[in-house]
Amino acid sequence: MSQSFRDLPRAIAGMGWGRQLGFVVGAVAVFAALFAVFVYLQAPATVPLYTNLAEPDAAAVVGKLRELKVTYSITDGGSTVRVPNEQAADLRLQLASAGLPNGSGVGVVGMEVFDRSNLGITDFAQKLNYQRGLEGELMRTIGRLSAVDQARVHLVLPQDRLFAAQQRDASASVVLKLKAGAKLTDDQISSVKFLVSRSVEGLKPENVGVVDTAGTTLGKADTADGARDKQASMRVEVQHQRELEIERKVQNLLDQAIGKGRSIVKATVALDWDVVEQKVETFSPGTLQPQTRSQKDTRESFAGQGADAQAAAGGVPGTQANIPTYQAGAAGGAGGGTSSYQKSEVTSNYEVSSDKRAISRAPGELKNVGIAVMIDQAVQNIQAEQLTQAVSAAVGLQPARGDQIAVVTVPFDTTMSANLAKTIEDETAQARQNDLIQMGVKAGGLVVALIGLALLFRMLSASIRPAGVAVAGGVDGAGLLPDGKGGVAALQTPEAIEAQISALMSGDGAELPPHVLASMAPEARAKYETARVRTRQLSPSERARRREEVRRLAMEQPALIGETLSRWMAIDSAMAGAS
């Protein structure tokens, strides 16, 4: 191989101009194909460092990468910066430590404005810096939303007044640049207003205005009408979700029973949005007897005899009872005898039994449900009654509440579904075909490049292979090999090898034994005799050249030469043994 490449310049120089041109074109084509296959098959060496960058942010990131002396590339119109894959993670950390990208472009200042102290700053400048820093932080935060590309925030912070009646409310304006195809819902706009209002002292959500770069006001105004509209929209959404939930539950049931695409389910629900609060008080619930709350039992008892006992027990409470003369007169007028006095008094207070309940019913309670089920008529052995019972049990229908269900069988139009299935199948087949074509292009390019390389190598090998030894030597220049040429084509048979060796040996003054000549083929023997006659007059330099040719021939065809010499030696040994 090394000898062949060393002889390459000589081989190219020996070509005609046409072959030289073909060789150059072929080499260029092969190397171009190999380069194209290498570039096409190799994995990308770079990955996106940041995407969807604003122009100021992209400029800041690129400037930092140049400062770090990092190789980069810019794509997607300058919004994407790509760096080598193995450096991406480290570069993100370095840029983050430098505050890049800040999300809103160069010139946006956050609270880092206070990182540097300035002793000579005025109070007005200090307040202005605080407002700038607050606006910058809000811009960065809002710019992190997935649908927002850029954001601008303007705050109006009125000065504090001595009297509350003169104090003005703070306000804010937010300008949003949305990404392509992105849209913010009313709830998301309300979230932006809530974020801004909670970030600024004294700012109310209704004092925050949000617009886009087209000048369109985003979100609804925070008024009573807006609140009612939002509530109505919320109710419709809840009703729609309840209907979808019922439809999904029934559809899954029917798909497992009769197969997919064989049924259609639609549901309608009515919700009660009234806020109901009830207070119920029941007296003596369940014929429960009244319970004793309190009870008082008073008892008096007196027993005695004689006038003294009667006098002691007599009299009315008051002044007269305390006058002895009166008591004595009363006692003297009364007769004697045994006396007894008893008094008993019981007072009971009863509590009336009652049951008090406060009932609050949340809005959105289900009033009634209506379900319609259509089944393809092509389905065999449809039992509508059993399906009705199954669907009613799965959903929990209550006829007393007014719930309804209808199950009917109708012929389905399958044209649309068939077309859709065919379209999906065609797209899948096309995608598979594209994948195969892409793989074929890759494999074909590689195969063509390899074939071209093999052909080029073969052409080079044929061109730089040394020519066969010419043993022509005579005065007329005629060679011993066919057509007077050397080369591999003439050295492929043992007879030709044998003829050439014998001719070279004769040119060097060597004579072959008669028994060797006798074993040679007629053609080889004839050529040997001719060469022996023609080479007797060779000069010493010519004989040296013949010896060099024998050496080269041995290097080119060692196997055949070894076989020839071995045969000669075997013949010589056999003749020696016979003698």
Side-chain angles (χ1 to χ4, degrees):
M1 181 67 69
S2 59
Q3 180 66 26
S4 298
F5 280 101
R6 285 197 298 268
D7 293 339
L8 179 61
R10 181 181 58 81
I12 295 177
M15 296 179 182
W17 67 270
R19 294 189 64 186
Q20 290 179 351
L21 179 61
F23 170 76
V24 172
V25 173
V28 171
V30 169
F31 284 109
L34 289 176
F35 179 77
V37 171
F38 175 76
V39 173
Y40 187 76
L41 294 180
Q42 73 172 354
T46 61
V47 295
L49 181 64
Y50 292 108
T51 59
N52 298 324
L53 288 175
E55 293 182 359
D57 284 339
V61 170
V62 168
K64 188 64 176 179
L65 293 178
R66 289 177 179 174
E67 180 181 344
L68 297 174
K69 298 181 180 180
V70 176
T71 304
Y72 66 90
S73 61
I74 301 176
T75 58
D76 298 334
S79 63
T80 301
V81 179
R82 303 179 67 91
V83 295
N85 187 18
E86 62 275 4
Q87 301 179 6
D90 184 54
L91 289 174
R92 288 192 184 98
L93 294 178
Q94 295 186 36
L95 293 175
S97 63
L100 296 175
N102 55 27
S104 298
V106 178
V108 176
V109 180
M111 287 301 177
E112 65 271 11
V113 69
F114 296 105
D115 292 344
R116 294 178 297 176
S117 60
N118 190 349
L119 299 178
I121 191 171
T122 63
D123 184 62
F124 174 77
Q126 192 78 351
K127 291 182 179 180
L128 185 61
N129 286 338
Y130 172 74
Q131 182 173 344
R132 289 179 58 199
L134 191 57
E135 290 175 350
E137 294 296 335
L138 287 173
M139 279 188 273
R140 294 174 180 176
T141 303
I142 298 174
R144 294 294 182 180
L145 298 179
S146 58
V148 177
D149 189 12
Q150 296 181 23
R152 293 284 294 173
V153 179
H154 303 280
L155 299 178
V156 178
L157 304 178
Q159 298 180 357
D160 295 335
R161 301 292 181 178
L162 181 61
F163 299 102
Q166 298 177 352
Q167 185 65 41
R168 296 181 180 180
D169 295 334
S171 60
S173 299
V174 181
V175 181
L176 300 179
K177 180 182 179 182
L178 303 180
K179 296 180 180 179
K183 184 179 180 181
L184 292 177
T185 63
D186 293 338
D187 292 338
Q188 291 174 320
I189 297 299
S190 299
S191 300
V192 173
K193 294 181 179 180
F194 180 81
L195 171 66
V196 176
S197 64
R198 290 299 183 271
S199 302
V200 181
E201 182 181 3
L203 181 59
K204 301 178 181 179
E206 55 268 20
N207 293 336
V208 179
V210 182
V211 298
D212 60 7
T213 52
T216 304
T217 302
L218 302 179
K220 296 182 180 179
D222 296 329
T223 60
D225 294 338
R228 285 194 298 268
D229 294 342
K230 183 177 181 180
Q231 185 179 19
S233 177
M234 183 269 297
R235 291 179 178 180
V236 173
E237 182 66 23
V238 171
Q239 179 179 352
H240 184 60
Q241 291 179 359
R242 296 289 295 272
E243 292 173 350
L244 288 179
E245 181 181 358
I246 295 175
E247 291 174 0
R248 188 181 304 111
K249 183 183 297 183
V250 177
Q251 190 67 62
N252 292 336
L253 177 66
L254 295 177
D255 288 345
Q256 295 180 8
I258 61 177
K260 291 186 177 182
R262 301 294 186 89
S263 61
I264 300 176
V265 180
K266 294 298 179 182
T268 302
V269 299
L271 303 179
D272 186 5
W273 296 101
D274 297 335
V275 179
V276 179
E277 293 183 359
Q278 295 179 347
K279 293 183 178 180
V280 181
E281 184 175 359
T282 305
F283 294 95
S284 298
T287 66
L288 183 65
Q289 296 298 325
Q291 304 296 317
T292 302
R293 181 178 182 182
S294 64
Q295 188 176 25
K296 181 180 180 182
D297 187 357
T298 305
R299 296 180 183 183
E300 295 182 4
S301 177
F302 174 75
Q305 59 182 357
D308 295 338
Q310 183 68 25
V316 178
T319 304
Q320 295 180 355
N322 296 324
I323 300 176
T325 58
Y326 177 80
Q327 295 179 354
T338 302
S339 299
S340 178
Y341 172 79
Q342 293 181 355
K343 182 180 179 181
S344 178
E345 182 179 355
V346 178
T347 302
S348 298
N349 296 323
Y350 293 94
E351 188 71 30
V352 179
S353 301
S354 64
D355 184 10
K356 296 181 180 180
R357 297 181 181 180
I359 302 174
S360 298
R361 190 171 56 191
E365 185 179 357
L366 187 63
K367 294 175 63 176
N368 55 69
V369 180
I371 300 177
V373 179
M374 293 189 297
I375 300 176
D376 191 2
Q377 204 171 32
V379 179
Q380 302 294 330
N381 300 325
I382 293 298
Q383 298 180 1
E385 184 177 355
Q386 294 182 358
L387 287 179
T388 302
Q389 295 177 358
V391 173
S392 300
V395 179
L397 297 183
Q398 301 178 11
R401 190 175 56 186
D403 297 345
Q404 298 179 355
I405 181 173
V407 179
V408 296
T409 57
V410 294
F412 280 14
D413 184 9
T414 59
T415 304
M416 182 179 296
S417 60
N419 293 337
L420 181 61
K422 187 177 183 303
T423 302
I424 296 176
E425 184 179 356
D426 294 342
E427 291 178 354
T428 304
Q430 184 65 33
R432 188 182 300 110
Q433 183 178 0
N434 293 338
D435 293 340
L436 293 176
I437 292 176
Q438 188 176 10
M439 293 176 59
V441 169
K442 294 179 181 179
L446 184 59
V447 170
V448 170
L450 294 177
I451 292 176
L453 186 62
L455 292 177
L456 179 63
F457 181 77
R458 182 176 181 181
M459 182 177 64
L460 292 177
S461 299
S463 301
I464 65 179
R465 180 175 295 173
V469 181
V471 294
V475 294
D476 54 356
L480 294 178
L481 301 183
D483 300 329
K485 299 180 181 180
V488 178
L491 301 177
Q492 291 180 351
T493 62
E495 292 78 6
I497 291 292
E498 189 175 20
Q500 191 165 355
I501 294 176
S502 59
L504 291 173
M505 291 178 65
S506 65
D508 197 24
E511 297 287 343
L512 293 177
H515 58 273
V516 174
L517 292 176
S519 64
M520 293 175 57
E523 179 183 0
R525 187 167 53 252
K527 290 183 178 182
Y528 168 76
E529 295 294 341
T530 304
R532 186 168 62 85
V533 173
R534 293 180 177 177
T535 57
R536 286 179 178 176
Q537 301 177 355
L538 291 178
S539 62
S541 61
E542 185 66 19
R543 294 178 182 275
R545 185 182 66 82
R546 291 296 178 89
R547 285 193 295 270
E548 180 63 22
E549 288 177 354
V550 172
R551 187 186 65 81
R552 290 176 57 188
L553 180 61
M555 293 178 61
E556 293 178 10
Q557 301 292 339
L560 294 178
I561 291 178
E563 180 182 356
T564 302
L565 296 178
S566 298
R567 188 171 61 85
W568 287 356
M569 292 174 65
I571 295 173
D572 191 25
S573 299
M575 293 298 297
S579 62

